[in-house]
Amino acid sequence: EPEVTQTPSHQVTQMGQEVILRCVPISNHLYFYWYRQILGQKVEFLVSFYNNEISEKSEIFDDQFSVERPDGSNFTLKIRSTKLEDSAMYFCASSEALPAVGGYTFGSGTRLTVV
Amino acid sequence: GENVGLHLPTLSVQEGDNSIINCAYSNSASDYFIWYKQESGKGPQFIIDIRSNMDKRQGQRVTVLLNKTVKHLSLQIAATQPGDSAVYFCAEIGNQFYFGTGTSLTVIP
């Protein structure tokens, strides 16, 4: 069954450093998303991406965040200068179409720990 | 985001019993809902979906009920198994998901 792959599974970084979280969405999917989940809290939407541009973003997704699809397979989330409160699980997801009939397919997540 | 929330944060059931997990939503215009299961350390996993033109949908051991009058969703799991232990989220679907905070289901052997 097709999967969304995320790397690394766990990233530890010092406050103020830049991090890049990587995702390989399902190959025939056109819509890509990043979500985050702070420990013990609900999954929160960050950004959606379609046709090489951001289609929607939440208020969490401020200037410190950026996304990119540098080639035909990868979808990355960059946090420019990490803060302690950025520590969370970050989930990438993709869908074939909108609305996402059958839901999004989520990756297993990257646990980001900012120290 | 929209108010998609769950009534109970935790639920414990005996193995073999049926489980019912509830969810309330606030946007009466929503027309598509999904239940997700999230096991510890993993991403959300699709369980079952339902459109607003339906009031019931059945899958394998799972049934989703939609009551549009009171804006309420429920997930019923038949013959709950230890592998069903997880956090269950309902999500309201537009161009993005609005997740509830989740209900943690614990199955007691």
Side-chain angles (χ1 to χ4, degrees):
Chain A
E1 189 170 327
E3 289 184 339
V4 174
T5 305
Q6 289 187 245
T7 55
S9 57
H10 191 188
Q11 173 89 46
V12 180
T13 189
Q14 286 199 321
M15 189 170 56
Q17 296 295 306
E18 174 184 286
V19 293
I20 297 177
L21 309 182
R22 302 181 191 280
C23 171
V24 179
I26 293 174
S27 61
N28 65 331
H29 285 188
L30 302 176
Y31 297 83
F32 314 114
Y33 313 87
W34 283 101
Y35 284 79
R36 80 170 185 191
Q37 185 178 32
I38 296 170
L39 185 64
Q41 298 185 25
K42 66 181 179 180
V43 178
E44 300 174 292
F45 170 77
L46 292 178
V47 66
S48 59
F49 190 87
Y50 170 71
N51 199 26
N52 285 319
E53 62 183 22
I54 291 173
S55 49
E56 202 163 352
K57 61 182 181 180
S58 72
E59 57 191 26
I60 302 169
F61 194 87
D62 61 21
D63 293 344
Q64 295 297 315
F65 291 88
S66 63
V67 289
E68 193 178 27
R69 186 152 164 84
D71 52 43
S73 60
N74 289 284
F75 179 52
T76 62
L77 174 69
K78 181 191 293 186
I79 308 175
R80 186 148 47 100
S81 177
T82 49
K83 303 185 287 287
L84 294 176
E85 54 265 38
D86 293 327
S87 295
M89 282 289 287
Y90 287 82
F91 293 106
C92 173
S94 67
S95 65
E96 192 173 354
L98 278 180
V101 175
Y104 303 158
T105 302
F106 284 84
S108 296
T110 294
R111 179 172 298 283
L112 176 65
T113 303
V114 182
V115 297
Chain B
E2 299 298 335
N3 181 19
V4 179
L6 302 187
H7 290 305
L8 297 173
T10 61
L11 178 65
S12 295
V13 298
Q14 291 287 337
E15 182 179 357
D17 287 352
N18 296 334
S19 303
I20 299 176
I21 301 170
N22 296 304
C23 177
Y25 64 95
S26 60
N27 185 0
S28 57
S30 297
D31 62 1
Y32 184 50
F33 304 89
I34 296 179
W35 279 99
Y36 275 88
K37 172 186 181 182
Q38 187 178 25
E39 296 174 277
S40 181
K42 296 184 179 180
Q45 179 184 5
F46 174 91
I47 302 174
I48 192 168
D49 58 0
I50 190 167
R51 290 203 173 277
S52 60
N53 61 351
M54 305 169 71
D55 53 20
K56 180 179 180 179
R57 189 157 188 232
Q58 287 186 289
Q60 189 178 19
R61 282 201 308 117
V62 294
T63 301
V64 55
L65 300 177
L66 175 62
N67 185 331
K68 295 181 287 294
T69 303
V70 296
K71 291 183 284 188
H72 183 269
L73 276 164
S74 68
L75 177 70
Q76 300 177 1
I77 305 173
T80 314
Q81 301 168 0
D84 295 328
S85 293
V87 176
Y88 290 81
F89 298 91
C90 66
E92 170 188 2
I93 312 307
N95 288 331
Q96 55 177 280
F97 279 17
Y98 295 109
F99 282 92
T101 52
T103 292
S104 177
L105 175 65
T106 300
V107 180
I108 303 166

